[in-house]
DNA sequence: GTGGTCTAGACCACG
DNA sequence: GTGGTCTAGACCACC
């Protein structure tokens, strides 16, 4: 349930929390209900400032992933699973497009790109071997 | 000679200039000589802040791509072409790796990524048809 | 007898209960007698927090709408019907004024407001056709 | 250019800033360009905390009204005027609908509502007489 | 107990 | 100079 926070990753901490929650919803780890830990709880267990956690949760509310239930904490929206599943590929696609555009601009051809992709995928797999192993 | 700057791309502007110069050297567009425009010239013609251009040039000097010739501005070093040709794929690879890492974190599997890559490559091709036309 | 609670309406839940009781008294639905359900009963049947219900009832006592009868719960006061009939339009008026003030601030002119009102009234009518059907 | 801030109005300060900016854009007071005062500037001139101003500006960026230009401050988006003009009525309509729903629920009939509206409009006019006078 | 707002002040990247 | 992030701690309304 706790996000892996890397304060030195360049990605803002609140954004890491946001992505973690979205991922968890897309994943089914978080279901439509009141499952997210309270701001204070999460702040204590991650050793982060409550404001940082609150900011992440606020963003998730803006995105329609969470909804505040007064005095009761924050719940996953009924619409969240669909939104998060859709976001998953969109977030990747957008960044990918930007990289490929640069590659194309500088005449890196399609096959070179495919090779890079395969080589990087291989490296990732070697770190995180398929769970079925 | 002028770089395509996208201030909203998330990549710092000075970094975009750096990358553009490196690719241009790898490309042969910039040869071993005094070809880079002065900070002031570049700043005016790109409507960028001179500080931004200066920072990019400073970085390029640190990387050994450019060298200051007293009173003459900045020249491409003899070692630059080799360095930049080597860098060419590395620059793309680095960005690509970052995207793929996130994809892995989101549990997008390898085949989904390959599909995204192919679909984005197709879109790029349709905009820039093969030069052999 | 049960109030329609909308936890996301911006109006505090206890306030929604208060308003519901006042309107019900104005309405004649609640008569001078012991008709209000106990805190516990209401809390269960509405799935609300008992504290929330209690707070609403406390407010209604302060307003002279309800009075505690020892061991019997809360009864509608003899003065309540008159008070509530008087309040009936005031409660609406107050909310209405707040909206119109904002509209004025946004420089929405009177005719635009009248159009909005008519269009919203029409929508309401189409959902709840006149009882004379 | 400065928003009228009322810390006791119940509406959060950052929200008052947000609405003020949106209103100013809808109005034509703020044009598509770099006109919004910097966070620090606005903070000083309104005696608010820079974070509060920043939060308002952040929200405006989320809404697509403002865009950050690195090192240069915040500019009004090309899409902003259209968005804000549309928002103007929507924000009012939404609140209005909620009031009218309550009224309908408690059998306040359409004519009573129209009378309330007219009487409130009259009160507002008497405070802010038409500028053409 | 819950989330929300606001202030204060430090630090960073970017131009 | 600009905005962005993070921490810290106070106060509030609501449940």
């Amino acid at each position: 349930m706790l996000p892996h926070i890397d304060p030195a990753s360049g990605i803002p901490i609140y954004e890491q929390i946001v992505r973690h929650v979205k991922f968890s919803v897309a994943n089914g780890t978080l279901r439509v209900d009141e499952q997210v830990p309270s701001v204070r709880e999460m702040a204590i267990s991650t050793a982060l400032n409550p404001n940082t956690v609150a900011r992440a949760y606020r963003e998730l509310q803006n995105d329609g992933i969470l909804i505040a239930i007064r005095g009761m904490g924050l719940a996953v929206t009924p619409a969240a699973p669909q939104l998060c599943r859709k976001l998953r590929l969109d977030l990747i696609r957008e960044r990918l497009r930007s990289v490929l555009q640069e590659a194309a601009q500088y005449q890196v051809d399609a096959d070179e790109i495919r090779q890079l992709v395969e080589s990087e995928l291989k490296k990732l797999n070697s770190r995180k071997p398929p769970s079925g192993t």
Side-chain angles (χ1 to χ4, degrees), chain A:
Chain A
M1 193 50 254
L2 294 179
H4 306 184
I5 299 300
D6 174 8
S9 78
I11 300 174
I13 294 176
Y14 74 86
E15 184 66 23
Q16 295 183 43
I17 299 175
V18 166
R19 291 187 169 184
H20 179 259
V21 170
K22 287 181 179 172
F23 159 67
S24 299
V25 172
N27 221 13
T29 309
L30 270 178
R31 307 237 170 112
V32 174
D33 207 349
E34 195 244 325
Q35 289 127 337
V36 302
S38 81
V39 171
R40 288 161 176 82
E41 217 181 320
M42 168 81 87
I44 290 171
S45 56
T46 54
L48 293 174
N49 187 295
N51 280 329
T52 306
V53 178
R55 176 162 178 190
Y57 282 179
R58 197 190 318 143
E59 201 131 312
L60 286 161
Q61 287 182 71
N62 284 344
D63 292 351
I65 309 298
L66 295 183
I67 187 166
I69 310 210
R70 293 214 276 223
M72 296 300 295
L74 294 160
V76 175
T77 295
Q82 195 193 346
L83 285 171
C84 291
R85 274 193 294 267
K86 191 174 177 314
L87 271 173
R88 210 178 53 123
L89 287 187
D90 285 355
L91 290 172
I92 303 298
R93 190 202 318 279
E94 202 168 314
R95 291 184 61 190
L96 196 55
R97 175 177 309 165
S98 165
V99 179
L100 297 189
Q101 265 172 3
E102 187 181 43
Q105 189 184 345
Y106 297 112
Q107 284 101 35
V108 178
D109 75 32
D111 275 336
E112 283 179 298
I113 289 168
R114 288 191 192 96
Q115 281 171 26
L116 285 179
V117 169
E118 292 305 324
S119 104
E120 292 306 319
L121 284 175
K122 208 173 285 179
K123 283 185 205 165
L124 283 172
N125 275 339
S126 61
R127 273 189 222 151
K128 279 191 178 179
S131 56
T133 311

